[in-house]
Amino acid sequence: MKNKIKYLYLIVLASGFVACSDLLEEVPASQLLAENSFKTEANAIAAIVGVYSSLHLEGVYGKSQSLFSTDENNAGSKVPLSGLNLYTFTADNIEVILPIWRDHYNGINRANLAITRIPSVDMDVNKRNNLVAEAKFIRALLYFNLIRYFGDVPYKDSETTSFNNLNISRTPVATIYQNIIEDLEYGVDSLKVKTAFLAGHATQDAAKTLLASVYLTRGSMAKRDNTGDGLADFALAASYSNEVINSNRYELCPYFPDAFIVENKNNDEIIFDVQFKSPGLGVGNTIGINMGIPSDASGVDNLISGGSQGAIRANPYHQYYYEQADSVRLQWTDARIKIVSATGKFTRLSAVDNEPVSAAKFRRYPVRSPNFVLQTSDYDVNWPIFRYAEVLLIYAEALNETSGPTQPAIDALNQLRSRARNVNRGGVHADVLKRSLTLQKSTGLADLTLSNPLVSSQAAFRDYIFYERSRELSAEGKRWFDLVRWGSLKTTLRNMINKMSAKALEAPVVQWPPLPGITQPPSTTTNKWTKYWTGNNGQTVEWNKITSNVQDFHMLLPIPNNERLANPSIGPNNPGYN
């Protein structure tokens, strides 16, 4: 048994070191023994690298985000993922749900190892506290995800070093929230302030932003479940987000697409993201292959031409969430374009084409580059967990919940509207190397005022936030969590098919001005949507299945059966699942 314990400990510890970092030297295998693991500052830093590397895992941010069908997008029928896209998944789902559970706990164990062991390392106290705070931030983030996915889950705050005491019962969500908040408050006190050298690291502002999100979520769920008014939590969400705003360390990229392109990584809008690298380093992701722009070729030829499989597709009705002048966010997020494989240039789809619309916010930029290498799971697009744009949205929503419409809340939203008015005069989709960006303000999309009916009452403001969060954050893995905390998952999705059917009787809204170098679709002014909804891609058929299947119990995922068999102390599954 002693050998088993040492072997398990070695695996746990070594898993934390299997990560790439330009800052760290390779740790010799002989130093990975338990008795030598936490002797020096280098050992402590290596452990933190392992903690961050857990964010790359498939079930954390390497693959699983944005796979749940929402009013924004859904995984197409070619990527069924055992019913995940159609809300027919069960506790036996091993494609997505089991990796979410497994990989989050893998990361938590790495964090617990660092939190437990680093305090004994002889090093500068401030550096040591900062490393512990980074590990606590990641642990808080992972537990926040877990309780939003599964509700009550087993809570562990020490590393697993033996095969004993692995049967742990589920801890109430309320208790885990308190633990999350304590970890993040430690981060506010001990983490560093943002600098250019801390890209990808947790910072003081990242801890405040996560705290704001935690309080906003907890307040929303209290209202949803009629367990309280959530006002104290909303006030704290507003306070922490306001501190980040007033720090003046962040700003919106002037042009919406520049918040996401590879060439503009670590821009001033990013508060915390997951850093990915390629090629062939083992720390890439599937974002580019799943959420991008397909070409007119098929199979491998599509990928060679720079195209994406387009597994994550935009909901065709989502375009109606945008105002007429909000064309940049619409066209960059829900891309009605494809690549002409012969030239590598774009052509636009008409609104009545049978082809699905791409959820392409994180597409490679430019689509074809001289250094393109055929890859399926090794893309280097960073995944934004928190952008400054979301801080503004949290602040506005939290203020509205505590005080109703106020000028500060409206001012925050107007920052997003002002940025959305910025149009690249060369064309929204003129992605060429090198782009010479000249911004001009589009007409329309005027600033909001307190007298504007869109935000003139608390209820109207809530509705505006409902759509604005989607317009700004679509395809960033936020929507399912939002619909759940608002208690509107089922009603929103079930309303979609009715809205689609109604739009099938109307002429489509075309928001595409003529752009140089982009092939334009044929005129659609007299066409109806009927062809689009009932065409070869079966949009109506697929959404009929989604909307008829989704139930209230889908606001939680099932505990994987594999885990319940391994740990009988977990007890019965979440309601609705066997």
Side-chain angles (χ1 to χ4, degrees), residues 261-284:
I261 61 175
V262 173
E263 287 78 1
N264 202 33
K265 283 185 176 184
N266 307 321
N267 57 72
D268 287 337
E269 188 168 337
I270 300 299
I271 293 176
F272 183 72
D273 64 0
V274 183
Q275 305 270 306
F276 289 102
K277 298 180 182 180
S278 70
L281 299 174
V283 286

Side-chain angles (χ1 to χ4, degrees), residues 215-233:
Y215 282 121
L216 185 74
T217 299
R218 192 170 71 169
S220 299
M221 289 185 168
K223 287 188 61 177
R224 181 197 74 184
D225 298 335
N226 294 316
T227 58
D229 57 19
L231 289 178
D233 284 336

